[in-house]
Amino acid sequence: MPDIFIKDIYELDFEILKEKNIKGILIDLDNTLLPWNSSNIDEKLTQWLLNAKQMGFKFCIISNNRASRIKECAKKLGIPAVEGIAFKPAKGVFIKGMKILGTSREETAVIGDQLFTDILGAKRMGLFAILVRPLAEKELFFTKFMRRLESRVLERFYRKKEK
Ligand SMILES: [Mg+2]
């Protein structure tokens, strides 16, 4: 179970993290920082990161997505990312991330949208875990649903045409 459950990263109260002496944040990419496979970084996100950095927090991305996507987004966001083939909830990712941050377990928080990767991994390591609701859940579900519907309709259409 997460320590905090919030709607999105913008709801996060950094003062709570400061009180807990947290200095580094391992953050998930897809559906936490950015919508699934999107690399559009808007002003709101830029400001959020800037504000957190000014408050003294350091960030590192931990993602199970492709290395090329992680690299691209990390560069655009201006924060480092864990590289390699270790996957959450494996401990290796979190250990590597903390090395990049230069923080101890007590000083590290994890933010993510998935219970069985982000949160499970964080809790196995004894890190402070913050669960957010997935950014593009509804859109993704709707997109999948519409695609399936589209392909069924089109199949029928082509079958009719062939007759
Ligand atoms: Mg995610």
Side-chain angles (χ1 to χ4, degrees), residues 56-70:
F57 293 100
K58 283 188 281 183
F59 288 91
C60 178
I61 294 170
I62 49 167
S63 169
N64 286 353
N65 207 321
R66 327 183 295 277
S68 59
R69 165 158 171 80
I70 299 170

Side-chain angles (χ1 to χ4, degrees), residues 17-110:
L17 299 188
K18 271 211 154 165
E19 275 168 31
K20 295 197 175 294
N21 199 32
I22 286 176
K23 297 185 168 79
I25 299 171
L26 298 172
I27 193 158
D28 172 52
L29 187 60
D30 292 292
N31 282 332
T32 298
L33 267 177
L34 294 169
W36 181 259
N37 274 345
S38 151
S39 54
N40 278 334
I41 295 150
D42 61 14
E43 189 55 29
K44 196 180 176 192
L45 179 55
T46 307
Q47 279 303 320
W48 183 82
L49 276 172
L50 196 69
N51 172 55
K53 282 179 184 172
Q54 280 170 349
M55 284 181 82
F57 293 100
K58 283 188 281 183
F59 288 91
C60 178
I61 294 170
I62 49 167
S63 169
N64 286 353
N65 207 321
R66 327 183 295 277
S68 59
R69 165 158 171 80
I70 299 170
K71 251 189 186 167
E72 184 203 347
C73 293
K75 200 179 167 193
K76 277 191 178 176
L77 290 161
I79 49 181
V82 171
E83 287 176 40
I85 44 164
F87 281 97
K88 297 176 288 182
K91 287 183 176 175
V93 190
F94 298 87
I95 293 167
K96 276 188 190 171
M98 283 192 284
K99 232 177 216 172
I100 292 172
L101 291 172
T103 53
S104 66
R105 292 185 188 214
E106 294 75 24
E107 296 168 335
T108 311
V110 174

Side-chain angles (χ1 to χ4, degrees), residues 5-6 55 70-71 78 124 133-134 159:
F5 181 26
I6 45 179
M55 284 181 82
I70 299 170
K71 251 189 186 167
R124 284 177 76 200
R133 285 170 64 183
R159 242 182 274 149

